Amino acid sequence: MNTFNKILVSSVMAVSMAAMSFTTSAGVNPSYEDVRAAIDNTLAKVEEAKAALDNGVNNEAVIDMVTDARQLQKDIANNVLDLKRNQASNVLKQARTALSNNELQAAKESLADALNRYKEIKQLYAANH
């Protein structure tokens, strides 16, 4: 009987822990306002990085801005936009790599491309909502 109780208690604990794990992993879809804010924040950070690069701010500061933009874009959670968001993120990564290698022209081109891509994402999202 004692062994049966131990098995029963451990089974109940395992099931309850699995249920809690499943509940916490099941995320809620972000609202329109959340996705819109993520797009706007990312776009603003890319614009800030481009302006900083155009104004001769040191590469490390611009790299930090590009890194911040890549973090912010992760909150753009929308199935329609995922592919375009990933492509724009890769362009930001190219800009960061160019800055690290002190290739300013390539970095400027990549930031301009990223800026256009995030503007397109914003337009697509607005058109679908």
Side-chain angles (χ1 to χ4, degrees):
M1 190 69 169
N2 195 15
T3 305
F4 177 72
N5 283 339
K6 288 181 181 178
I7 292 172
L8 182 63
V9 168
S10 20
S11 297
V12 169
M13 288 180 64
V15 168
S16 65
M17 289 185 68
M20 286 189 311
S21 174
F22 177 74
T23 303
T24 57
S25 68
V28 177
N29 287 338
S31 69
Y32 169 80
E33 291 80 17
D34 293 340
V35 175
R36 181 67 187 254
I39 293 170
D40 290 341
N41 292 338
T42 302
L43 190 55
K45 189 55 81 169
V46 174
E47 287 172 340
E48 180 184 358
K50 185 177 181 318
L53 186 60
D54 290 342
N55 292 326
V57 174
N58 71 42
N59 287 0
E60 289 302 317
V62 180
I63 288 172
D64 289 342
M65 291 176 206
V66 171
T67 301
D68 289 345
R70 288 197 71 218
Q71 291 301 315
L72 289 168
Q73 64 87 33
K74 290 179 181 179
D75 292 331
I76 302 173
N78 180 282
N79 291 336
V80 175
L81 303 176
D82 280 345
L83 177 63
K84 295 211 176 278
R85 180 185 61 83
N86 287 334
Q87 291 170 341
S89 178
N90 288 338
V91 174
L92 284 176
K93 188 175 180 180
Q94 291 171 359
R96 188 176 63 194
T97 301
L99 286 164
S100 295
N101 296 333
N102 205 29
E103 298 168 354
L104 299 182
Q105 188 57 37
K108 286 181 182 182
E109 291 169 5
S110 293
L111 281 174
D113 185 17
L115 191 59
N116 290 332
R117 288 173 185 264
Y118 284 110
K119 286 179 181 178
E120 179 185 0
I121 288 170
K122 184 175 182 176
Q123 290 172 347
L124 282 172
Y125 191 69
N128 288 326
H129 289 87

PDB file of all heavy atoms in Angstrom, residues 50 53-56 95 98-99 103-114:
ATOM      1  N   LYS A  50      20.572  54.807 -38.686  1.00  0.00           N
ATOM      2  CA  LYS A  50      20.950  55.368 -39.991  1.00  0.00           C
ATOM      3  C   LYS A  50      21.383  56.819 -39.851  1.00  0.00           C
ATOM      4  O   LYS A  50      22.403  57.238 -40.406  1.00  0.00           O
ATOM      5  CB  LYS A  50      19.793  55.243 -40.978  1.00  0.00           C
ATOM      6  CG  LYS A  50      20.151  55.702 -42.381  1.00  0.00           C
ATOM      7  CD  LYS A  50      19.016  55.504 -43.337  1.00  0.00           C
ATOM      8  CE  LYS A  50      19.325  55.929 -44.745  1.00  0.00           C
ATOM      9  NZ  LYS A  50      20.052  57.145 -44.916  1.00  0.00           N
ATOM     10  N   LEU A  53      24.789  56.985 -38.190  1.00  0.00           N
ATOM     11  CA  LEU A  53      25.863  56.632 -39.125  1.00  0.00           C
ATOM     12  C   LEU A  53      26.112  57.766 -40.108  1.00  0.00           C
ATOM     13  O   LEU A  53      27.264  58.098 -40.405  1.00  0.00           O
ATOM     14  CB  LEU A  53      25.499  55.338 -39.866  1.00  0.00           C
ATOM     15  CG  LEU A  53      26.580  54.775 -40.773  1.00  0.00           C
ATOM     16  CD1 LEU A  53      27.846  54.451 -39.989  1.00  0.00           C
ATOM     17  CD2 LEU A  53      26.067  53.529 -41.476  1.00  0.00           C
ATOM     18  N   ASP A  54      25.039  58.373 -40.606  1.00  0.00           N
ATOM     19  CA  ASP A  54      25.187  59.500 -41.536  1.00  0.00           C
ATOM     20  C   ASP A  54      25.866  60.699 -40.887  1.00  0.00           C
ATOM     21  O   ASP A  54      26.541  61.470 -41.565  1.00  0.00           O
ATOM     22  CB  ASP A  54      23.817  59.930 -42.076  1.00  0.00           C
ATOM     23  CG  ASP A  54      23.222  58.896 -43.027  1.00  0.00           C
ATOM     24  OD1 ASP A  54      23.970  58.034 -43.528  1.00  0.00           O
ATOM     25  OD2 ASP A  54      21.992  58.961 -43.253  1.00  0.00           O
ATOM     26  N   ASN A  55      25.700  60.852 -39.571  1.00  0.00           N
ATOM     27  CA  ASN A  55      26.286  61.985 -38.848  1.00  0.00           C
ATOM     28  C   ASN A  55      27.657  61.681 -38.256  1.00  0.00           C
ATOM     29  O   ASN A  55      28.201  62.493 -37.508  1.00  0.00           O
ATOM     30  CB  ASN A  55      25.336  62.462 -37.752  1.00  0.00           C
ATOM     31  CG  ASN A  55      24.091  63.091 -38.332  1.00  0.00           C
ATOM     32  OD1 ASN A  55      24.135  63.725 -39.375  1.00  0.00           O
ATOM     33  ND2 ASN A  55      22.974  62.911 -37.650  1.00  0.00           N
ATOM     34  N   GLY A  56      28.208  60.508 -38.570  1.00  0.00           N
ATOM     35  CA  GLY A  56      29.569  60.193 -38.152  1.00  0.00           C
ATOM     36  C   GLY A  56      29.724  59.717 -36.722  1.00  0.00           C
ATOM     37  O   GLY A  56      30.819  59.768 -36.165  1.00  0.00           O
ATOM     38  N   ALA A  95      24.284  44.855 -41.709  1.00  0.00           N
ATOM     39  CA  ALA A  95      24.730  46.208 -41.362  1.00  0.00           C
ATOM     40  C   ALA A  95      25.669  46.160 -40.164  1.00  0.00           C
ATOM     41  O   ALA A  95      26.700  46.831 -40.140  1.00  0.00           O
ATOM     42  CB  ALA A  95      23.532  47.103 -41.062  1.00  0.00           C
ATOM     43  N   ALA A  98      29.004  44.806 -41.248  1.00  0.00           N
ATOM     44  CA  ALA A  98      29.739  45.823 -42.013  1.00  0.00           C
ATOM     45  C   ALA A  98      30.333  46.871 -41.078  1.00  0.00           C
ATOM     46  O   ALA A  98      31.483  47.301 -41.268  1.00  0.00           O
ATOM     47  CB  ALA A  98      28.817  46.477 -43.049  1.00  0.00           C
ATOM     48  N   LEU A  99      29.559  47.277 -40.071  1.00  0.00           N
ATOM     49  CA  LEU A  99      30.084  48.254 -39.105  1.00  0.00           C
ATOM     50  C   LEU A  99      31.265  47.680 -38.329  1.00  0.00           C
ATOM     51  O   LEU A  99      32.246  48.372 -38.083  1.00  0.00           O
ATOM     52  CB  LEU A  99      28.977  48.685 -38.142  1.00  0.00           C
ATOM     53  CG  LEU A  99      27.932  49.628 -38.723  1.00  0.00           C
ATOM     54  CD1 LEU A  99      26.705  49.671 -37.842  1.00  0.00           C
ATOM     55  CD2 LEU A  99      28.520  51.019 -38.907  1.00  0.00           C
ATOM     56  N   GLU A 103      33.233  48.901 -42.673  1.00  0.00           N
ATOM     57  CA  GLU A 103      32.804  49.096 -44.058  1.00  0.00           C
ATOM     58  C   GLU A 103      31.582  50.010 -44.041  1.00  0.00           C
ATOM     59  O   GLU A 103      30.442  49.556 -44.111  1.00  0.00           O
ATOM     60  CB  GLU A 103      32.483  47.746 -44.694  1.00  0.00           C
ATOM     61  CG  GLU A 103      33.675  46.814 -44.764  1.00  0.00           C
ATOM     62  CD  GLU A 103      33.299  45.388 -45.113  1.00  0.00           C
ATOM     63  OE1 GLU A 103      32.086  45.078 -45.196  1.00  0.00           O
ATOM     64  OE2 GLU A 103      34.215  44.583 -45.297  1.00  0.00           O
ATOM     65  N   LEU A 104      31.825  51.307 -43.950  1.00  0.00           N
ATOM     66  CA  LEU A 104      30.754  52.262 -43.724  1.00  0.00           C
ATOM     67  C   LEU A 104      29.759  52.348 -44.881  1.00  0.00           C
ATOM     68  O   LEU A 104      28.551  52.490 -44.659  1.00  0.00           O
ATOM     69  CB  LEU A 104      31.335  53.634 -43.405  1.00  0.00           C
ATOM     70  CG  LEU A 104      32.216  53.697 -42.147  1.00  0.00           C
ATOM     71  CD1 LEU A 104      32.685  55.117 -41.907  1.00  0.00           C
ATOM     72  CD2 LEU A 104      31.460  53.182 -40.946  1.00  0.00           C
ATOM     73  N   GLN A 105      30.241  52.273 -46.094  1.00  0.00           N
ATOM     74  CA  GLN A 105      29.326  52.366 -47.237  1.00  0.00           C
ATOM     75  C   GLN A 105      28.369  51.183 -47.265  1.00  0.00           C
ATOM     76  O   GLN A 105      27.168  51.344 -47.485  1.00  0.00           O
ATOM     77  CB  GLN A 105      30.109  52.456 -48.554  1.00  0.00           C
ATOM     78  CG  GLN A 105      29.238  52.737 -49.760  1.00  0.00           C
ATOM     79  CD  GLN A 105      28.424  54.027 -49.630  1.00  0.00           C
ATOM     80  OE1 GLN A 105      28.881  55.027 -49.089  1.00  0.00           O
ATOM     81  NE2 GLN A 105      27.194  53.987 -50.110  1.00  0.00           N
ATOM     82  N   ALA A 106      28.904  50.002 -47.042  1.00  0.00           N
ATOM     83  CA  ALA A 106      28.047  48.802 -47.015  1.00  0.00           C
ATOM     84  C   ALA A 106      27.044  48.891 -45.860  1.00  0.00           C
ATOM     85  O   ALA A 106      25.883  48.496 -46.003  1.00  0.00           O
ATOM     86  CB  ALA A 106      28.904  47.547 -46.882  1.00  0.00           C
ATOM     87  N   ALA A 107      27.486  49.430 -44.724  1.00  0.00           N
ATOM     88  CA  ALA A 107      26.593  49.584 -43.573  1.00  0.00           C
ATOM     89  C   ALA A 107      25.470  50.566 -43.887  1.00  0.00           C
ATOM     90  O   ALA A 107      24.302  50.315 -43.548  1.00  0.00           O
ATOM     91  CB  ALA A 107      27.378  50.047 -42.351  1.00  0.00           C
ATOM     92  N   LYS A 108      25.815  51.669 -44.549  1.00  0.00           N
ATOM     93  CA  LYS A 108      24.788  52.654 -44.927  1.00  0.00           C
ATOM     94  C   LYS A 108      23.768  52.042 -45.867  1.00  0.00           C
ATOM     95  O   LYS A 108      22.562  52.252 -45.721  1.00  0.00           O
ATOM     96  CB  LYS A 108      25.442  53.881 -45.576  1.00  0.00           C
ATOM     97  CG  LYS A 108      26.150  54.784 -44.605  1.00  0.00           C
ATOM     98  CD  LYS A 108      26.753  55.981 -45.308  1.00  0.00           C
ATOM     99  CE  LYS A 108      27.521  56.862 -44.322  1.00  0.00           C
ATOM    100  NZ  LYS A 108      28.080  58.054 -44.959  1.00  0.00           N
ATOM    101  N   GLU A 109      24.241  51.281 -46.845  1.00  0.00           N
ATOM    102  CA  GLU A 109      23.332  50.638 -47.797  1.00  0.00           C
ATOM    103  C   GLU A 109      22.425  49.626 -47.104  1.00  0.00           C
ATOM    104  O   GLU A 109      21.224  49.565 -47.371  1.00  0.00           O
ATOM    105  CB  GLU A 109      24.136  49.968 -48.915  1.00  0.00           C
ATOM    106  CG  GLU A 109      24.823  50.952 -49.834  1.00  0.00           C
ATOM    107  CD  GLU A 109      25.822  50.306 -50.780  1.00  0.00           C
ATOM    108  OE1 GLU A 109      25.927  49.049 -50.801  1.00  0.00           O
ATOM    109  OE2 GLU A 109      26.509  51.051 -51.504  1.00  0.00           O
ATOM    110  N   SER A 110      23.007  48.857 -46.188  1.00  0.00           N
ATOM    111  CA  SER A 110      22.212  47.861 -45.459  1.00  0.00           C
ATOM    112  C   SER A 110      21.173  48.521 -44.567  1.00  0.00           C
ATOM    113  O   SER A 110      20.031  48.066 -44.490  1.00  0.00           O
ATOM    114  CB  SER A 110      23.119  46.959 -44.617  1.00  0.00           C
ATOM    115  OG  SER A 110      23.923  46.156 -45.447  1.00  0.00           O
ATOM    116  N   LEU A 111      21.552  49.607 -43.898  1.00  0.00           N
ATOM    117  CA  LEU A 111      20.591  50.301 -43.039  1.00  0.00           C
ATOM    118  C   LEU A 111      19.465  50.925 -43.862  1.00  0.00           C
ATOM    119  O   LEU A 111      18.298  50.892 -43.455  1.00  0.00           O
ATOM    120  CB  LEU A 111      21.287  51.355 -42.186  1.00  0.00           C
ATOM    121  CG  LEU A 111      22.028  50.828 -40.967  1.00  0.00           C
ATOM    122  CD1 LEU A 111      22.796  51.942 -40.277  1.00  0.00           C
ATOM    123  CD2 LEU A 111      21.068  50.163 -39.995  1.00  0.00           C
ATOM    124  N   ALA A 112      19.807  51.478 -45.031  1.00  0.00           N
ATOM    125  CA  ALA A 112      18.774  52.038 -45.898  1.00  0.00           C
ATOM    126  C   ALA A 112      17.828  50.932 -46.373  1.00  0.00           C
ATOM    127  O   ALA A 112      16.599  51.114 -46.399  1.00  0.00           O
ATOM    128  CB  ALA A 112      19.410  52.755 -47.086  1.00  0.00           C
ATOM    129  N   ASP A 113      18.390  49.781 -46.719  1.00  0.00           N
ATOM    130  CA  ASP A 113      17.584  48.641 -47.142  1.00  0.00           C
ATOM    131  C   ASP A 113      16.686  48.169 -45.998  1.00  0.00           C
ATOM    132  O   ASP A 113      15.487  47.926 -46.186  1.00  0.00           O
ATOM    133  CB  ASP A 113      18.500  47.508 -47.613  1.00  0.00           C
ATOM    134  CG  ASP A 113      17.742  46.324 -48.188  1.00  0.00           C
ATOM    135  OD1 ASP A 113      16.545  46.467 -48.522  1.00  0.00           O
ATOM    136  OD2 ASP A 113      18.353  45.242 -48.317  1.00  0.00           O
ATOM    137  N   ALA A 114      17.240  48.059 -44.803  1.00  0.00           N
ATOM    138  CA  ALA A 114      16.453  47.634 -43.633  1.00  0.00           C
ATOM    139  C   ALA A 114      15.332  48.620 -43.356  1.00  0.00           C
ATOM    140  O   ALA A 114      14.196  48.221 -43.051  1.00  0.00           O
ATOM    141  CB  ALA A 114      17.358  47.487 -42.417  1.00  0.00           C
TER     142      ALA A 114
END
